[in-house]
Amino acid sequence: EAGVAQSPRYKIIEKRQSVAFWCNPISGHATLYWYQQILGQGPKLLIQFQNNGVVDDSQLPKDRFSAERLKGVDSTLKIQPAKLEDSAVYLCASTISGQGNSEQYFGPGTRLTVT
Amino acid sequence: QKEVEQNSGPLSVPEGAIASLNCTYSDRGSQSFFWYRQYSGKSPELIMFIYSNGDKEDGRFTAQLNKASQYVSLLIRDSQPSDSATYLCAAPHALNFGKGTSLLVTP
């Protein structure tokens, strides 16, 4: 079974530039999550999708971050414009369902450095 | 925001000892918890899931949940250097993660 795929693995940009990350979840997984993990901290949920609908985006900085999952499969997360404090690893995860006891499978992450 | 708190460590234990990792949570409605292990530069991987009061054992790992005290712990018996990692406690709702405890097992 293929795991959660993410690209790119690494990205370096200057502040005020824009960047996009891509995630392809495990086949058949209805729920997709984007997390931001700053060095030394636990993952922080940015947005949760159930199929192509948003379940929770309460912690997404909507003035600069956006995400979509148009066909209910893969997803993109965009930052525009980037700030220095956006430097972090962006993790994508998926589960079969959004039920509380569903195991999340994480992708390898995208390490973003904003200079 | 439903809070999950962990001591960031580092927790250092000698090889073969028992490592005890602890987590407290603020939401009394939380019914279950996950323990994830995260090696440096890698993504979190699930090691334990517990949903009922008491202990759950899986190999060298034992998770303990005390809903009355809002406390969940992870015990690692016969700790190995390969157990050195950050351990993340998470409540299910949107997987609200703690900051993680760094464990170092010294040979």
Side-chain angles (χ1 to χ4, degrees):
Chain A
E1 177 183 76
V4 177
Q6 290 187 249
S7 67
R9 292 294 311 278
Y10 305 92
K11 190 73 176 179
I12 301 173
I13 61 171
E14 296 181 350
K15 59 184 179 183
R16 292 186 291 273
Q17 286 187 324
S18 62
V19 65
F21 312 128
W22 175 81
C23 172
N24 192 23
I26 292 173
S27 178
H29 280 198
T31 308
L32 184 148
Y33 308 79
W34 283 101
Y35 289 89
Q36 178 193 59
Q37 187 172 24
I38 293 173
L39 186 65
Q41 298 185 19
K44 170 189 169 183
L45 180 72
L46 294 175
I47 190 167
Q48 176 186 351
F49 290 97
Q50 180 74 15
N51 296 309
N52 62 351
V54 175
V55 175
D56 186 345
D57 64 355
S58 58
Q59 300 188 105
L60 185 74
K62 298 180 185 64
D63 58 334
R64 298 185 300 105
F65 286 65
S66 64
E68 60 184 14
R69 193 185 184 199
L70 293 177
K71 296 182 179 179
V73 181
D74 56 351
S75 175
T76 56
L77 175 69
K78 297 179 182 178
I79 307 175
Q80 182 179 16
K83 293 184 175 181
L84 295 177
E85 57 261 36
D86 298 332
S87 295
V89 175
Y90 290 84
L91 295 164
C92 179
S94 69
T95 62
I96 289 178
S97 73
Q99 296 300 314
N101 60 353
S102 297
E103 178 179 353
Q104 285 199 351
Y105 295 85
F106 284 86
T110 296
R111 183 176 298 276
L112 174 66
T113 302
V114 183
T115 63
Chain B
Q1 178 68 25
K2 299 175 176 64
E3 295 294 332
V4 176
E5 301 287 342
Q6 292 182 260
N7 186 325
S8 62
L11 172 66
S12 182
V13 301
E15 183 175 358
I18 296 175
S20 177
L21 305 161
N22 305 312
C23 174
T24 58
Y25 59 95
S26 60
D27 181 13
R28 286 194 170 274
S30 294
Q31 296 296 313
S32 54
F33 291 88
F34 296 85
W35 280 101
Y36 281 78
R37 177 176 62 199
Q38 187 173 26
Y39 290 112
S40 180
K42 301 295 185 180
S43 297
E45 56 178 331
L46 181 70
I47 53 173
M48 290 287 283
F49 167 68
I50 184 166
Y51 58 89
S52 59
N53 263 337
D55 297 358
K56 178 181 179 181
E57 187 174 319
D58 183 1
R60 296 187 295 113
F61 298 93
T62 299
Q64 300 174 321
L65 176 59
N66 184 322
K67 293 183 180 180
S69 300
Q70 296 179 240
Y71 177 93
V72 59
S73 64
L74 179 69
L75 301 178
I76 306 174
R77 291 182 300 281
D78 188 24
S79 295
Q80 301 297 309
S82 59
D83 295 326
S84 297
T86 296
Y87 289 80
L88 299 161
C89 172
H93 176 70
L95 272 202
N96 185 15
F97 284 91
K99 291 185 176 182
T101 298
S102 175
L103 173 66
L104 177 63
V105 181
T106 55

